[in-house]
Amino acid sequence: MTLPLFALQLLNGVEYGLLLFLVASGLTLVFGVLGVLNFAHGSFYMLGAYLAYWLSERTGSLLVAVLIGVPVMLLFALLVERLAISRLYRRDHLSQVLLTYGLVLLFNELQRAAFGNEVHGVPTPRALAWSVPLGQMQSWPAYRVFTALACLGIAAALRQVILRTRFGMRVRAGATDAETVEALGIDVRRLFMGVFCAGAALAALAGMLAAPLTTVYPGMGEGVLVLSFVVVVIGGIGSIRGAFVGALLVGLADTFGKVLFPQVASATVYALMAVVLIWRPRGLAGAPAESR
């Protein structure tokens, strides 16, 4: 592998990992704070991608599509949380899996009814339709540069919110002991609603940003959901920092696996997860196991 090709795959892996982080960060927050095993999380990624396709086709601008689409998905997430997810708090994981899997089937049918079964493409914005040269033979699309920088900016903002704001303090406290937080007079239901809507919006935004990089097709959220669960397990449940590191590792493993080991590329991510769990059973940023 030549140095320019290695650099290209390295950048692609980092950019893919950063997109995975947007999805996985919402998933780890919902699981870590709400205690809800949300199988429908990937559906917000899919619906975000379809919304980006539909809005950009009518407005002619992906930026306008994102600015309109994110608030729309926030309202949709609020509706889902009020009607369905709020009924799962303090319920067992079997109930959560059954209901959220039912939501996956419902969202897939809604997508087919609204957009059909065709595969769609979202054009790259004209302002970013150029490439950064990497040597004489390789180049990296400017839109991927923009996507990576946007994800880094969102990750930095998310870190500030979690660590430096009152809402973030309540989220961290809720992840540790929700009953004590409620006893202190904090409206835990409203806190849970905010966390769920934020997580769903992050997943939808990831789908919108990824739409020009891949095709938009039915059921595209399921594959992302599986990888996001892998990221959460590797990083440690409830840890944003762990999700960030885990997403980068998964993105690099998936990208280089497809280049170096195409016959077993799908196994490289799960091999990485197995190695991490053998070393750190609760994930990279998870609490250490109690000594016996």
Side-chain angles (χ1 to χ4, degrees):
M1 180 182 293
T2 63
L3 183 59
L5 180 59
F6 174 80
L8 177 65
Q9 299 306 325
L10 179 64
L11 291 171
N12 284 338
V14 169
E15 185 260 348
Y16 181 46
L18 290 171
L19 277 174
L20 278 178
F21 167 73
L22 290 189
V23 185
S25 60
L27 185 63
T28 197
L29 278 176
V30 170
F31 196 15
V33 179
L34 279 64
V36 174
L37 192 60
N38 183 17
F39 272 48
H41 192 72
S43 296
F44 290 99
Y45 175 89
M46 176 191 69
L47 293 174
Y50 268 98
L51 199 57
Y53 152 73
W54 189 81
L55 289 171
S56 62
E57 190 176 59
R58 281 151 181 79
T59 63
S61 170
L62 181 63
L63 176 60
V64 174
V66 171
L67 292 177
I68 297 174
V70 170
V72 170
M73 290 304 299
L74 272 172
L75 291 175
F76 181 70
L78 176 61
L79 180 65
V80 172
E81 196 275 340
R82 288 290 84 194
L83 295 180
I85 302 299
S86 63
R87 304 175 186 275
L88 295 178
Y89 304 145
R90 298 186 177 89
R91 298 287 295 272
D92 59 273
H93 288 324
L94 178 59
S95 300
Q96 296 170 1
V97 169
L98 291 175
L99 179 56
T100 56
Y101 182 70
L103 289 177
V104 172
L105 301 179
L106 174 62
F107 293 158
N108 285 343
E109 290 303 316
L110 289 175
Q111 171 267 309
R112 291 187 178 93
F115 304 105
N117 291 319
E118 293 80 11
V119 176
H120 303 284
V122 178
T124 301
R126 291 183 181 179
L128 297 172
W130 49 280
S131 298
V132 177
L134 298 174
Q136 296 181 344
M137 301 295 294
Q138 303 292 339
S139 62
W140 202 42
Y143 183 76
R144 288 186 178 273
V145 178
F146 166 77
T147 302
L149 293 177
C151 291
L152 283 173
I154 294 168
L158 186 60
R159 180 181 183 277
Q160 288 299 109
V161 169
I162 295 297
L163 296 180
R164 306 294 185 212
T165 67
R166 185 177 297 273
F167 175 76
M169 178 185 67
R170 291 176 176 177
V171 168
R172 286 183 282 120
T176 303
D177 191 342
E179 292 183 358
T180 301
V181 171
E182 190 171 19
L184 292 173
I186 296 173
D187 191 341
V188 173
R189 287 299 180 104
R190 181 172 295 181
L191 175 68
F192 285 2
M193 179 182 67
V195 170
F196 179 83
C197 291
L202 286 172
L205 177 59
M208 293 175 189
L209 292 175
L213 301 173
T214 182
T215 54
V216 180
Y217 57 93
M220 62 185 293
E222 277 79 349
V224 171
L225 176 68
V226 172
L227 288 177
S228 298
F229 270 118
V230 172
V231 169
V232 170
V233 170
I234 289 175
I237 294 172
S239 172
I240 296 295
R241 178 169 57 89
F244 184 81
V245 176
L248 291 180
L249 291 176
V250 169
L252 291 171
D254 185 72
T255 300
F256 278 101
K258 291 176 180 176
V259 174
L260 300 176
F261 314 106
Q263 287 88 3
V264 293
S266 59
T268 55
V269 171
Y270 306 108
L272 171 65
M273 180 176 67
V275 170
V276 170
L277 290 180
I278 291 172
W279 173 46
R280 298 272 298 182
R282 299 193 180 185
L284 296 175
E290 297 177 359
S291 58
R292 298 182 182 274

